Amino acid sequence: MKPAFTLVLAICSLLLSSCVVYMPMQCAAPQITDKKQGEVTASSYLNGRFDIAANYSPVRHLLVRAAYSNLRDDTKDTTYYRGHQYEFGAGTYWPLGNRWLVGGLGGFGQARSTAAFNRPGIIFPSTHYVYDARYNKIFGEVYGTFQANEAVSFGAAYRITQVNFTTLTNQAVPIDLNRMTRSEPMVYFRVRLGDGPTENRPVQLQAAWGTSATFGYNEGDTSISYDQGVRDLKQGRGYTTIGITIFPHCLFRKAQPAGEGR
């Protein structure tokens, strides 16, 4: 393997206790403000995973969504982290004046993910873990965006995700965890590229920071004894993404002759 990639895997192996198997997707928080508007977003996580998502409003205040996420490591090393998932959703959005946009949506999805790593031992040799999971999920999300000027906006979103495992094993041995519910806040900063009013700018850049934690699980509470596999799965994690969004309706609008479509 390349030295840089080996270093990344080594760092991931140290962090896997806080990101084993469950992969939170970033919140949607669409920038749609009217009917017939749509957006397509591609985002990248720091670990190499990418998301692609599409949001569309067929009628005013109604939003539909589809998204796909993938992380693929094709190396034959004993340390890896890979998976893929999708989600579908529907919801609503409400512009509040010229500055605020609020909304909410809910949906469902499915995922398959695997992770393998070594956990060093203090006295005994290191232990090798090979987690394999398939799960269904349902989620609900609310968000709010503030448009600071024609180019810059920022906001926050909050998602609750219920994860229902259909398969969950370590070294092919089942783990006693059927479901968990995650709390997933996210903040984001956006820059709309182009000239003129915000609604005419076809490209947007975004940076986002989020976390995911299991409801009812306190990592520092030693009074409750969890199996190591359950502890790994329930621990919290954070993520950072950068992304680009294209607004097709802006491109089509700019392609029209002056005065047409008014």
Side-chain angles (χ1 to χ4, degrees):
M1 290 186 297
K2 296 180 179 179
F5 189 68
T6 302
L7 177 60
V8 171
L9 285 179
I11 294 173
C12 287
S13 70
L14 296 176
L15 298 178
L16 270 172
S17 62
S18 63
C19 62
V20 172
V21 186
Y22 173 65
M23 298 182 181
M25 290 185 71
Q26 66 178 346
C27 297
Q31 198 70 23
I32 289 175
T33 59
D34 203 355
K35 64 181 180 179
K36 306 303 181 184
Q37 291 186 4
E39 61 179 33
V40 178
T41 300
S43 302
S44 177
Y45 297 71
L46 295 185
N47 64 356
R49 178 159 64 109
F50 72 86
D51 289 356
I52 184 166
N55 301 297
Y56 180 68
S57 176
V59 298
R60 187 166 173 79
H61 300 306
L62 175 64
L63 176 75
V64 293
R65 170 178 172 79
Y68 175 76
S69 182
N70 186 74
L71 172 61
R72 184 67 179 174
D73 169 21
D74 290 323
T75 68
K76 297 181 180 180
D77 196 82
T78 56
T79 297
Y80 56 82
Y81 186 36
R82 62 175 72 109
H84 58 269
Q85 62 182 300
Y86 70 84
E87 67 179 35
F88 295 104
T92 187
Y93 60 90
W94 294 83
L96 303 179
N98 296 323
R99 296 289 187 182
W100 285 97
L101 173 66
V102 298
L105 64 155
F108 65 93
Q110 289 185 315
R112 167 75 187 277
S113 59
T114 58
F117 64 99
N118 295 311
R119 177 174 284 122
I122 298 176
I123 299 176
F124 300 100
S126 63
T127 303
H128 189 58
Y129 292 82
V130 182
Y131 288 107
D132 189 350
R134 298 174 187 263
Y135 57 87
N136 303 319
K137 67 176 185 178
I138 56 174
F139 68 89
E141 175 186 325
V142 294
Y143 64 93
T145 303
F146 178 73
Q147 193 71 44
N149 54 46
E150 299 292 353
V152 175
S153 64
F154 53 88
Y158 181 69
R159 175 178 286 207
I160 296 177
T161 303
Q162 180 173 297
V163 181
N164 299 296
F165 293 103
T166 56
T167 300
L168 181 58
T169 62
N170 175 28
Q171 298 277 23
V173 177
I175 297 173
D176 187 19
L177 180 64
N178 295 322
R179 65 179 58 87
M180 61 182 176
T181 303
R182 309 283 290 196
S183 171
E184 299 176 333
M186 186 185 85
V187 296
Y188 49 90
F189 177 80
R190 295 167 173 170
V191 177
R192 198 83 170 248
L193 305 181
D195 298 318
T198 302
E199 297 296 333
N200 291 339
R201 301 187 180 207
V203 179
Q204 176 176 268
L205 304 180
Q206 174 179 286
W209 303 266
T211 63
S212 176
T214 303
F215 277 107
Y217 177 71
N218 183 355
E219 297 181 22
D221 186 1
T222 59
S223 63
I224 302 176
S225 178
Y226 291 99
D227 176 84
Q228 186 61 56
V230 174
R231 187 177 296 276
D232 283 344
L233 267 294
K234 285 193 171 186
Q235 284 185 347
R237 66 166 300 182
Y239 63 84
T240 300
T241 66
I242 55 174
I244 183 170
T245 299
I246 305 298
F247 300 90
H249 60 276
C250 293
L251 298 174
F252 297 150
R253 182 184 303 152
K254 280 188 172 291
Q256 293 178 345
E260 184 176 328
R262 297 181 180 178

